Amino acid sequence: MAKKTTHKKLTVNRKLVAVVTLLVALVLSIIFITLGFTGRQMDAQGLYKLLPWLPGPARQADWRQALVPGAGLGETWVSTFSPVGEEAPSQQLLDRAVDVLARRLNDLGWTDAAVQVKEGKLVAILPKAADTAYLNKLLAIPGEFTFTDPSGEVFMDGSQVSEAGFGFADQSGTNLALTLQFTAEGKQIFGSKSTELIGQSISLRRDGVVLVSPGISEPLTQGQVSIPGFNMESARENAVLLRSGALPFALELDGEGQPGRPLMGDRVQRTLLIALGILFLLVAAYFLVCYRLAGLLAAWMLALQVALSFFFAGLLGAGFTVLTLSAIMLGFVVTTFAILKLYLHMRTGLRRGRSLRQTLREGYATAGHAGLDVMVGLLLVSVVFIIMNLGLITVFCELFAITLLLGLVITQLLHRLLLNETIHLFGTKSSLYATTPTKKEA
Amino acid sequence: MRIHKTALNTIIISTLVGLLALALGLFGLGMKFANGAQAAFAWGPLLLAILAALVVSFLFGWLRYGVSGALTLAVAVLHDQLLSLAMCAIYSLAFGLSGHAMPLLVAGLAFTYLFTVPVIRDARAQLMANPSLTREQAASQAVAAGRPLKVAVTLLSALVLLALAVGGNAQMYGSLLPLLSGLIAAALSSHLISPYIWAAGRPGRRRR
């Protein structure tokens, strides 16, 4: 005889689930944002520390270690270089020298550093956070490269090098090779000279000093060579100098330099952060006034998006520059667009007397897809730019792609989930979600 | 495919702006940079980026909205990028551009997508909801329906640019010019070009 079983219906208190979900999300968000402003010591000795990553206007703040300010928005170091020689260089030569120095700085990643001509001297404005001693040394190097035969006769110079790079020469990990690609003329000269000098060597000199003298075992007629015998630092330095070209005249550093103001204005950092804070408050106030509970949720999501964007900017080492801020703020605009598009649809639906749940379901299927399309489209373009490795464009797209991904997750998953929980907790009364009174459709 | 007069006129005006920038360039007055920032600018990667954006946008538009949507998005991308490049060349006479000009010019694509994608989507939706509409009517209705959102996004973007510019000097304005150009170009094309390009597309087979 079969045993009689009693089926007890399991009931879930939906409101309790909503409260727990919202509370957990809120507590996690508050902890994350607070850590963003304060950072945290990870051990008693202070060896490991989670740096704060959310910029605030206070002068003494550690966030500048996570988001190192560039010369545009942070304090600078001003180095002055004087031309060596009795005759003052022409304006054309000075302009050429500015270009060479700017190329060197740009090549090392200091894209917002500046080089100016002042009273016949060259002034380099460098970020204070940079290794200014190394940069000053690098900027003063004339950078004239020559190729000589064993007798010391010059047969080619650096102007015939079209591209320069470096890479590992063997498995040791310490021997690096300078890889050079020649112009058409350089290819011909180097090809014939290397054919002539088989069994001997060709020396690469920088400013008259021999860097390496590799032996020639076969004719090198391909227009590109790989020269081993460098360590990481010298290979990088020589590649940068070859790419920038030689200075048109010799320079010497006047003293050690002095601290300077940010390039974009005296108090730009503080004013900018206050202005961005006010902007965020304005957007949050707009959402709160127009969409009440849903608006509160939107403000919460946007705050989370900004906090996460700065977190990833810190992780990527993006620095505190206009480029970083632009990527984060564009991500903010796209996320705001996606939420606003959904809310406008929700408000229209409520005005027509539709139920909140129905309107939201429709909204995510129609208006919500507009935000999704914009984010996915831009994400695709960004990923293509990253794959194509387009220099500064790629640097920008790396952070922008992350802000778009965050926007996608926040608007399509987190916002949707929390809005549903909010509705479960507070009910579907339309006046809680839109300001305008609802009218039943006739 | 017959393009509406308004779209054609706007394209002609944009072309004139482009030609003016080109003429300035030929006379050595185009694209002025501040503090040696020209070292960070290279035409090769920029043009390659515009071309890649054009191809990706066309493919994305084609997959999502069919040929007319793809053409609309591609034309908007090309127009906005070239117009903002031309505007930058003209503005740069007053404020030298910064080393970030190249990525921020490309960043203007965000505005193109924000303004053009809703027009294409809404126009398609209007046409599907009311098959008696002509494509031109659907496009006009989409533009009208999307106006509040477009105004809000334009205002927000302008406020973001203002917040970034506050407290800055000419160097800061020079940095933000490419983004401002992108915003203006995208607002213009999404209102005066994209709807008409989409409307000029061949009517596809309608779903039952």
Side-chain angles (χ1 to χ4, degrees), chain A residues 73 95 98-99 102-103 106 111-116 262-268 271-272 275-276 279 282-283 286 321-323 325-326 329-330 332-334 336-337 340-341 344 365-367 369-370 373-374 376-378 380-381 384-385 388 390 392-393 396 400, chain B residues 34-41 44-46 48-50 52-53 56-57 60 64-65 98-100 102-104 106-111 113-115 117-118 121-122 146 148-149 152-153 156-157 159-160 162-172 175-176 179:
Chain A
L73 300 176
D95 288 344
V98 166
D99 192 50
R103 273 178 200 282
N106 184 50
T111 48
D112 61 352
V115 185
Q116 301 165 343
L263 271 168
M264 292 181 174
D266 261 350
R267 293 178 183 174
V268 64
T271 322
L272 189 145
L276 288 176
L279 173 72
L282 277 176
V283 174
Y286 165 78
T321 61
V322 171
L323 204 59
L325 288 176
S326 302
M329 292 318 290
L330 276 178
F332 175 79
V333 171
V334 173
T336 309
F337 160 85
L340 200 56
K341 177 93 180 155
L344 283 169
T366 54
H369 276 195
D373 278 2
V374 169
V376 171
L378 286 172
L380 274 175
V381 176
V384 168
F385 288 167
M388 287 170 75
L390 297 169
L392 263 184
I393 295 176
F396 170 82
F400 186 49
Chain B
N35 303 323
Q38 68 274 10
F41 190 89
L46 179 66
L48 211 58
I50 294 174
V56 174
S57 300
F60 174 72
R64 291 291 292 141
Y65 321 114
S98 79
H100 297 147
M102 200 168 61
L104 293 184
V106 177
L109 276 172
F111 298 120
Y113 270 71
L114 279 172
F115 293 151
V117 166
R121 283 189 61 87
D122 290 351
L149 182 68
V153 174
L156 175 65
S157 308
L159 282 174
V160 166
L162 188 68
L164 289 172
V166 162
N169 52 18
Q171 177 106 359
M172 174 63 101
S175 282
L176 297 175
L179 275 181

Side-chain angles (χ1 to χ4, degrees), chain B residues 21-72:
Chain B
L22 196 66
L24 284 172
L26 289 174
F27 286 106
L29 291 170
M31 284 283 179
K32 295 282 173 199
F33 291 88
N35 303 323
Q38 68 274 10
F41 190 89
W43 282 105
L46 179 66
L47 295 179
L48 211 58
I50 294 174
L51 191 68
L54 190 69
V55 173
V56 174
S57 300
F58 183 84
L59 291 176
F60 174 72
W62 190 31
L63 285 174
R64 291 291 292 141
Y65 321 114
V67 178
S68 52
L71 265 177
T72 309

Side-chain angles (χ1 to χ4, degrees), chain A residues 36 41 55 62 81 93 98 143 153-154 184 188 203 255 263 285 294-295 323 338 357 387 400 411 438:
Chain A
Q41 207 89 336
D62 286 343
F81 298 87
L93 286 181
V98 166
E153 193 188 326
V154 176
Q188 196 187 353
S203 299
L263 271 168
L323 204 59
R357 284 183 199 282
I387 293 168
F400 186 49
T411 53
T438 57

Side-chain angles (χ1 to χ4, degrees), chain A residues 11-30:
Chain A
T11 52
V12 180
N13 187 340
R14 201 60 194 79
K15 277 200 172 179
L16 186 68
V17 173
V19 169
V20 172
T21 312
L22 285 169
L23 265 180
V24 168
L26 186 65
V27 169
L28 286 177
S29 304
I30 290 173

Side-chain angles (χ1 to χ4, degrees), chain A residues 59 64 69-78 125-130 259-263 266 268-269:
Chain A
R59 281 199 182 280
R64 291 183 188 89
L73 300 176
E75 290 173 358
T76 53
W77 189 260
V78 183
I125 303 167
L126 312 168
K128 205 177 176 185
R261 295 171 298 184
L263 271 168
D266 261 350
V268 64
Q269 204 179 89

Side-chain angles (χ1 to χ4, degrees), chain A residues 69-126:
Chain A
L73 300 176
E75 290 173 358
T76 53
W77 189 260
V78 183
S79 301
T80 309
F81 298 87
S82 299
V84 177
E86 287 174 9
E87 207 175 310
S90 65
Q91 188 58 44
Q92 199 181 355
L93 286 181
L94 283 169
D95 288 344
R96 169 80 191 128
V98 166
D99 192 50
V100 170
L101 297 192
R103 273 178 200 282
R104 289 179 186 176
L105 289 170
N106 184 50
D107 213 346
L108 289 170
W110 300 109
T111 48
D112 61 352
V115 185
Q116 301 165 343
V117 178
K118 268 187 190 164
E119 295 160 2
K121 294 181 177 184
L122 294 171
V123 179
I125 303 167
L126 312 168

Side-chain angles (χ1 to χ4, degrees), chain A residues 105-419:
Chain A
L105 289 170
N106 184 50
D107 213 346
L108 289 170
W110 300 109
T111 48
D112 61 352
V115 185
Q116 301 165 343
V117 178
K118 268 187 190 164
E119 295 160 2
K121 294 181 177 184
L122 294 171
V123 179
I125 303 167
L126 312 168
K128 205 177 176 185
D131 181 355
T132 48
Y134 171 72
L135 288 182
N136 283 338
K137 188 191 120 221
L138 186 83
L139 293 180
I141 295 173
E144 215 163 288
F145 286 85
T146 49
F147 295 85
T148 60
D149 61 16
S151 65
E153 193 188 326
V154 176
F155 62 86
M156 216 172 104
D157 63 25
S159 65
Q160 273 132 351
V161 175
S162 59
E163 274 176 47
F166 60 95
F168 290 107
D170 54 34
Q171 301 293 317
S172 71
T174 52
N175 183 17
L176 279 102
L178 201 57
T179 50
L180 309 179
Q181 197 157 345
F182 301 125
T183 59
E185 189 192 1
K187 179 183 170 183
Q188 196 187 353
I189 297 171
F190 199 90
S192 62
K193 206 69 186 174
S194 63
T195 310
E196 187 187 310
L197 294 172
I198 286 178
Q200 299 179 60
S201 65
I202 287 178
S203 299
L204 174 65
R205 294 171 187 248
R206 190 178 88 192
D207 304 322
V209 179
V210 175
L211 293 176
V212 279
S213 296
I216 305 293
S217 55
E218 57 181 91
L220 301 166
T221 52
Q222 298 299 310
Q224 52 188 30
V225 290
S226 180
I227 309 169
F230 294 89
N231 60 28
M232 179 62 87
E233 197 184 326
S234 64
R236 188 170 79 141
E237 186 178 291
N238 286 309
V240 168
L241 291 171
L242 271 161
R243 284 194 290 254
S244 73
L247 279 169
F249 48 84
L251 289 174
E252 65 179 3
L253 182 64
D254 292 352
E256 288 178 354
Q258 54 188 22
R261 295 171 298 184
L263 271 168
M264 292 181 174
D266 261 350
R267 293 178 183 174
V268 64
Q269 204 179 89
R270 193 177 153 78
T271 322
L272 189 145
L273 289 171
I274 293 172
L276 288 176
I278 293 173
L279 173 72
F280 180 81
L281 290 177
L282 277 176
V283 174
Y286 165 78
F287 271 115
L288 268 174
V289 169
C290 293
Y291 301 102
R292 297 175 180 176
L293 261 180
L296 185 67
L297 190 65
W300 174 8
M301 293 300 102
L302 289 174
L304 201 59
Q305 151 104 7
V306 172
L308 281 163
S309 301
F310 274 112
F311 176 74
F312 282 102
L315 275 187
L316 283 177
F320 190 71
T321 61
V322 171
L323 204 59
T324 303
L325 288 176
S326 302
I328 291 175
M329 292 318 290
L330 276 178
F332 175 79
V333 171
V334 173
T335 306
T336 309
F337 160 85
I339 295 177
L340 200 56
K341 177 93 180 155
L342 183 74
Y343 283 9
L344 283 169
H345 180 90
M346 179 180 79
R347 192 163 69 178
T348 313
L350 289 176
R351 274 183 191 171
R352 288 177 182 168
R354 286 192 184 142
S355 80
L356 182 64
R357 284 183 199 282
Q358 189 191 359
T359 313
L360 269 178
R361 220 180 0 257
E362 279 174 14
Y364 264 108
T366 54
H369 276 195
L372 190 71
D373 278 2
V374 169
M375 287 180 187
V376 171
L378 286 172
L379 196 61
L380 274 175
V381 176
S382 299
V383 168
V384 168
F385 288 167
I386 292 169
I387 293 168
M388 287 170 75
N389 195 10
L390 297 169
L392 263 184
I393 295 176
T394 299
V395 172
F396 170 82
C397 285
E398 282 168 357
L399 185 57
F400 186 49
I402 288 176
T403 64
L404 288 170
L405 268 177
L406 289 172
L408 265 175
V409 173
I410 284 174
T411 53
Q412 303 297 319
L413 295 175
L414 196 60
H415 176 261
R416 193 170 184 171
L417 170 80
L418 296 182
L419 191 55

